Amino acid sequence: MDKPVIFVNILAWNGERWLKGCLDSVFASEGADFKVLVVDNGSSDRSAEIVEKDYPQALLVRNAANLGFAEGNNVGIRYALDRGADQVVLLNQDVTVDRQWLSQLLSAAETEREFQIFAPLQYDYEGRELDRLFLRGMLDMSPEFAEDYKKGEGFRKIYPLPTALGAAVLIKKEVFLKAGGFDPFYFVYHEETDLFQRCAYHGFRIALAPGSRINHWHGSLHPEEMALRSRYLTYRNKLVLMLKDPRISVFSGLLACFSWSWQFAAENAGPARGFLRIALVAWLQLLVLFYLPLIAYKRFREKRGACYL
């Protein structure tokens, strides 16, 4: 039987600070045959030049502008699938990887056939301890992981998950062909959760493979000059995410949006609690109403199958 074609896709945006560490560690990976694709997402720094000059063994695609994390990754996914990829690993630019990270992911994908999406353990960038955001998410999502972590006696071979926590994820080709790619509407924030909601709707399953390990810096996509826009996209996309979940009705999504809006307003209203809380809730609900027709169309389209690729 032919070996599966593996693509490791790295989306780069103004990432010259991290790219060398990322690519050096990826090319030092052992026990797996793979191709590396770097998609430069309209960088204004030397990201593309670094790849072109120092890593001729890497494939390079240049986007003319920053298409966002969602569509930027879609460009790479299309490229890989068009060239026969059986499995695509999406890797953040601010990550370094263990030498066995990929072989462990591929081993899990080969032996744990009931799962189609696999994520590694995430450590901090120095590799000293589990990344705090990753750990918090895992403790919330997986009672089995929480139990094993508290015992401190090692991890199991696999942990089923409701979603994956970004930075690095292996996805089999059949997932893209059925569930599609990232929704470009998100641009950035919550786009991966949206994809994994659709994956669950179409019957695909996600797992953590603790034998695989990466180190994650965080923050490479969040420059200070984008702080205001980042906050807007975070809030807007959170509402859209709840409304778009194909596993629940639109009515249930609206109730979830309203409940989250009140909770958000209560936590962020500050001293002027009464008026500001009402104003925040009103603004969030207006966003919901504004995007509702588009979301209804997207729900219909996404339930029918592959889209965005």
Side-chain angles (χ1 to χ4, degrees):
M1 187 173 67
D2 293 337
K3 287 185 177 180
V5 178
I6 312 299
F7 269 74
V8 176
N9 287 12
I10 301 168
L11 181 65
W13 181 63
N14 292 342
E16 61 179 317
R17 175 181 178 183
W18 297 279
L19 267 177
K20 183 172 175 57
C22 179
L23 287 167
D24 283 348
S25 67
V26 168
F27 281 117
S29 302
E30 299 174 348
D33 294 325
F34 58 94
K35 300 177 181 180
V36 174
L37 170 66
V38 178
V39 177
D40 181 73
N41 209 15
S43 296
S44 58
D45 66 1
R46 297 181 57 254
S47 294
E49 287 73 17
I50 288 171
V51 176
E52 197 169 50
K53 178 183 176 182
D54 297 338
Y55 301 93
Q57 68 272 49
L59 301 165
L60 175 63
V61 172
R62 295 175 184 247
N63 292 336
N66 181 6
L67 304 180
F69 189 84
E71 183 59 18
N73 269 305
N74 284 346
V75 169
I77 294 166
R78 291 188 201 103
Y79 184 99
L81 294 179
D82 287 346
R83 286 155 183 80
D86 297 298
Q87 299 173 28
V88 179
V89 181
L90 303 177
L91 191 67
N92 281 15
Q93 64 183 359
D94 57 348
V95 160
T96 60
V97 298
D98 182 80
R99 287 181 179 270
Q100 300 296 326
W101 76 289
L102 185 54
S103 62
Q104 289 293 325
L105 282 180
L106 294 173
S107 175
E110 176 64 26
T111 58
E112 306 294 333
R113 296 295 183 91
E114 67 269 34
F115 300 97
Q116 297 78 34
I117 302 166
F118 297 86
L121 282 178
Q122 293 185 28
Y123 282 74
D124 61 27
Y125 200 64
E126 290 73 29
R128 292 192 296 256
E129 58 186 8
L130 286 174
D131 176 83
R132 58 183 178 82
L133 294 178
F134 171 82
L135 178 59
R136 185 171 65 190
M138 286 301 305
L139 294 176
D140 288 342
M141 288 193 300
S142 174
E144 296 87 358
F145 181 91
E147 178 184 354
D148 292 345
Y149 176 75
K150 290 173 183 176
K151 286 181 179 178
E153 298 175 357
F155 295 115
R156 307 176 197 187
K157 186 177 180 181
I158 210 82
Y159 293 92
L161 297 177
T163 189
L165 295 172
V169 61
L170 181 150
I171 304 177
K172 294 184 177 181
K173 175 177 66 175
E174 57 262 34
V175 175
F176 296 121
L177 297 181
K178 181 64 176 178
F182 295 103
D183 182 352
F185 175 82
Y186 285 93
F187 194 79
V188 67
Y189 305 123
H190 298 300
E191 71 289 324
E192 76 285 357
T193 308
D194 175 85
L195 173 59
F196 297 139
Q197 284 181 169
R198 285 184 276 125
C199 289
Y201 174 79
H202 288 290
F204 298 114
R205 300 184 65 197
I206 305 169
L208 174 75
S212 178
R213 169 175 170 167
I214 66 165
N215 305 323
H216 189 197
W217 173 269
H218 284 296
S220 65
L221 296 177
H222 314 289
E224 292 181 3
E225 62 268 22
M226 285 187 65
L228 183 60
R229 188 186 184 200
S230 295
R231 284 196 293 269
Y232 167 73
L233 289 174
T234 299
Y235 306 150
R236 184 202 71 172
N237 290 355
K238 177 68 174 179
L239 294 168
V240 171
L241 180 71
M242 290 185 282
L243 282 170
K244 277 189 64 190
D245 189 344
R247 299 167 298 178
I248 63 175
S249 67
V250 174
F251 180 73
S252 296
L254 286 169
L255 288 178
C257 286
F258 187 74
S259 174
W260 179 83
S261 298
W262 273 105
Q263 180 182 354
F264 172 82
E267 294 171 353
N268 293 274
R273 300 186 68 85
F275 173 77
L276 190 52
R277 180 183 300 184
I278 293 172
L280 279 171
V281 171
W283 175 68
L284 292 168
Q285 297 313 304
L286 284 173
L287 275 180
V288 169
L289 293 175
F290 179 78
Y291 286 115
L292 194 56
L294 174 64
I295 290 166
Y297 167 73
K298 284 179 174 290
R299 284 174 61 98
F300 171 77
R301 183 184 176 198
E302 291 169 0
K303 284 186 175 183
R304 296 182 66 184
C307 45
Y308 310 124
L309 290 178

